[in-house]
Amino acid sequence: MRRLFTLLFVVLFLSVPAQAARIGVASVVKNQVNGSVAGVINVGTGVSENEVISTGVESSTQLLFRDETSLTIGPSSKLTLDRFVYNPNTRAGDVVVNVLQGTFRFVSGSAKPGGYTIKTPAASIGLRGTVIEG
């Protein structure tokens, strides 16, 4: 019986996904916005590293990250928040966003220049503290 309980505990423990670290928050949400981790996204909903964000028709959202980066996602868009590493003490950061479809506006935050990468189906863009739309 004890062996069965231990096995059940291990199976249940390993099947529960680890809580993803919150890297930012939705500050504006218009209509239907979903996240692969968060589910339905509303104002104040946290977003996580490796999360896929998608917007419906006539929908959009603005995400604010811990380094003060702002990412606005337009209608019928889909992107992955691939990587977010940021140390506020040194301003060192590594932020990677993979735009799969649709439109976006990215305003880099307080991390040192060169720490931002936007991937699109056509190109990979390294940012040095700027605003980019695509």
Side-chain angles (χ1 to χ4, degrees):
M1 183 68 165
R2 183 179 194 137
R3 217 183 276 173
L4 179 62
F5 177 75
T6 304
L7 179 62
L8 182 61
F9 176 77
V10 168
V11 169
L12 288 175
F13 179 78
L14 293 177
S15 66
V16 176
Q19 181 68 16
R22 182 175 163 162
I23 62 169
V25 64
S27 61
V28 176
V29 175
K30 179 182 175 191
N31 297 328
Q32 178 188 352
V33 179
N34 294 298
S36 61
V37 174
V40 175
I41 294 179
N42 296 301
V43 172
T45 300
V47 294
S48 305
E49 189 173 47
N50 295 314
E51 184 159 13
V52 178
I53 307 293
S54 59
T55 58
V57 177
E58 298 183 23
S59 301
S60 61
T61 189
Q62 181 182 41
L63 306 176
L64 296 177
F65 298 99
R66 291 182 313 167
D67 72 337
E68 301 173 3
T69 291
S70 170
L71 175 61
T72 303
I73 307 167
S76 301
S77 297
K78 185 175 184 178
L79 57 79
T80 304
L81 307 174
D82 277 348
R83 184 171 44 246
F84 185 92
V85 178
Y86 176 66
N87 181 335
N89 296 326
T90 63
R91 291 185 38 231
D94 185 22
V95 178
V96 179
V97 175
N98 187 2
V99 179
L100 304 170
Q101 72 181 41
T103 60
F104 68 94
R105 182 172 197 260
F106 186 94
V107 180
S108 60
S110 59
K112 291 181 181 176
Y116 301 97
T117 303
I118 306 291
K119 295 179 181 179
T120 70
S124 183
I125 306 161
L127 301 176
R128 295 187 134 299
T130 189
V131 177
I132 187 165
E133 296 178 351

